[in-house]
Tab-separated table of all heavy atoms in Angstrom:
chain	number	residue	atom	x	y	z
A	379	TYR	N	-32.257	97.883	-58.019
A	379	TYR	CA	-32.631	96.788	-57.128
A	379	TYR	C	-33.625	95.892	-57.863
A	379	TYR	O	-34.692	96.349	-58.296
A	379	TYR	CB	-33.242	97.320	-55.833
A	379	TYR	CG	-32.303	98.242	-55.068
A	379	TYR	CD1	-32.389	99.629	-55.220
A	379	TYR	CD2	-31.316	97.729	-54.220
A	379	TYR	CE1	-31.529	100.474	-54.537
A	379	TYR	CE2	-30.461	98.573	-53.530
A	379	TYR	CZ	-30.571	99.937	-53.694
A	379	TYR	OH	-29.717	100.773	-53.020
A	380	VAL	N	-33.241	94.630	-57.984
A	380	VAL	CA	-34.057	93.656	-58.699
A	380	VAL	C	-34.516	92.607	-57.695
A	380	VAL	O	-33.686	91.938	-57.063
A	380	VAL	CB	-33.266	92.997	-59.844
A	380	VAL	CG1	-34.154	92.048	-60.635
A	380	VAL	CG2	-32.667	94.062	-60.767
A	381	TYR	N	-35.825	92.479	-57.529
A	381	TYR	CA	-36.401	91.491	-56.611
A	381	TYR	C	-36.791	90.256	-57.431
A	381	TYR	O	-37.637	90.335	-58.338
A	381	TYR	CB	-37.604	92.074	-55.888
A	381	TYR	CG	-37.237	93.212	-54.954
A	381	TYR	CD1	-37.090	94.515	-55.434
A	381	TYR	CD2	-37.019	92.979	-53.604
A	381	TYR	CE1	-36.743	95.555	-54.589
A	381	TYR	CE2	-36.674	94.016	-52.742
A	381	TYR	CZ	-36.532	95.297	-53.250
A	381	TYR	OH	-36.181	96.331	-52.400
A	382	ARG	N	-36.179	89.128	-57.091
A	382	ARG	CA	-36.360	87.908	-57.875
A	382	ARG	C	-36.772	86.757	-56.961
A	382	ARG	O	-36.397	86.704	-55.781
A	382	ARG	CB	-35.071	87.554	-58.619
A	382	ARG	CG	-34.432	88.731	-59.338
A	382	ARG	CD	-33.336	88.279	-60.258
A	382	ARG	NE	-33.878	87.755	-61.512
A	382	ARG	CZ	-33.147	87.194	-62.457
A	382	ARG	NH1	-31.847	87.050	-62.282
A	382	ARG	NH2	-33.691	86.738	-63.566
A	383	LYS	N	-37.546	85.858	-57.544
A	383	LYS	CA	-38.060	84.694	-56.808
A	383	LYS	C	-37.417	83.430	-57.361
A	383	LYS	O	-37.310	83.251	-58.584
A	383	LYS	CB	-39.583	84.612	-56.933
A	383	LYS	CG	-40.206	83.474	-56.117
A	383	LYS	CD	-41.718	83.472	-56.232
A	383	LYS	CE	-42.174	83.097	-57.620
A	383	LYS	NZ	-43.657	82.932	-57.710
A	384	VAL	N	-37.000	82.551	-56.438
A	384	VAL	CA	-36.353	81.291	-56.790
A	384	VAL	C	-37.159	80.154	-56.162
A	384	VAL	O	-37.485	80.201	-54.974
A	384	VAL	CB	-34.896	81.238	-56.295
A	384	VAL	CG1	-34.225	79.943	-56.748
A	384	VAL	CG2	-34.120	82.451	-56.776
A	385	ASN	N	-37.483	79.156	-56.967
A	385	ASN	CA	-38.250	78.002	-56.492
A	385	ASN	C	-37.277	76.934	-56.001
A	385	ASN	O	-36.504	76.376	-56.776
A	385	ASN	CB	-39.127	77.457	-57.612
A	385	ASN	CG	-40.057	76.357	-57.127
A	385	ASN	OD1	-40.112	76.052	-55.937
A	385	ASN	ND2	-40.806	75.763	-58.042
A	386	LEU	N	-37.313	76.641	-54.702
A	386	LEU	CA	-36.452	75.636	-54.090
A	386	LEU	C	-37.241	74.392	-53.675
A	386	LEU	O	-36.783	73.627	-52.818
A	386	LEU	CB	-35.746	76.221	-52.852
A	386	LEU	CG	-34.865	77.455	-53.076
A	386	LEU	CD1	-34.248	77.909	-51.757
A	386	LEU	CD2	-33.783	77.171	-54.103
A	387	SER	N	-38.381	74.171	-54.284
A	387	SER	CA	-39.242	73.062	-53.877
A	387	SER	C	-38.705	71.733	-54.388
A	387	SER	O	-38.010	71.662	-55.410
A	387	SER	CB	-40.657	73.286	-54.404
A	387	SER	OG	-41.185	74.516	-53.951
A	388	LEU	N	-39.029	70.693	-53.653
A	388	LEU	CA	-38.727	69.323	-54.024
A	388	LEU	C	-40.014	68.576	-54.344
A	388	LEU	O	-41.119	69.026	-53.992
A	388	LEU	CB	-37.966	68.611	-52.899
A	388	LEU	CG	-36.622	69.213	-52.491
A	388	LEU	CD1	-36.070	68.477	-51.285
A	388	LEU	CD2	-35.638	69.174	-53.643
A	389	ASP	N	-39.884	67.448	-54.989
A	389	ASP	CA	-41.070	66.657	-55.326
A	389	ASP	C	-41.768	66.127	-54.089
A	389	ASP	O	-42.989	65.902	-54.103
A	389	ASP	CB	-40.674	65.483	-56.239
A	389	ASP	CG	-40.115	65.959	-57.570
A	389	ASP	OD1	-40.449	67.106	-57.960
A	389	ASP	OD2	-39.345	65.207	-58.199
A	390	SER	N	-41.028	65.932	-53.021
A	390	SER	CA	-41.611	65.387	-51.794
A	390	SER	C	-42.197	66.439	-50.877
A	390	SER	O	-42.746	66.094	-49.816
A	390	SER	CB	-40.541	64.587	-51.035
A	390	SER	OG	-39.429	65.419	-50.723
A	391	ASP	N	-42.113	67.718	-51.242
A	391	ASP	CA	-42.623	68.781	-50.369
A	391	ASP	C	-44.143	68.858	-50.442
A	391	ASP	O	-44.737	68.800	-51.532
A	391	ASP	CB	-42.022	70.130	-50.761
A	391	ASP	CG	-40.538	70.197	-50.487
A	391	ASP	OD1	-40.066	69.429	-49.620
A	391	ASP	OD2	-39.840	70.997	-51.144
A	392	GLU	N	-44.759	69.012	-49.275
A	392	GLU	CA	-46.210	69.210	-49.238
A	392	GLU	C	-46.567	70.635	-49.646
A	392	GLU	O	-47.575	70.851	-50.312
A	392	GLU	CB	-46.728	68.914	-47.830
A	392	GLU	CG	-46.511	67.470	-47.382
A	392	GLU	CD	-47.028	67.239	-45.980
A	392	GLU	OE1	-47.510	68.225	-45.364
A	392	GLU	OE2	-46.931	66.093	-45.488
Side-chain angles (χ1 to χ4, degrees):
Y379 301 96
V380 184
Y381 294 84
R382 313 191 79 185
K383 184 178 68 173
V384 183
N385 186 5
L386 301 180
S387 303
L388 300 174
D389 297 336
S390 59
D391 293 337
E392 297 179 358

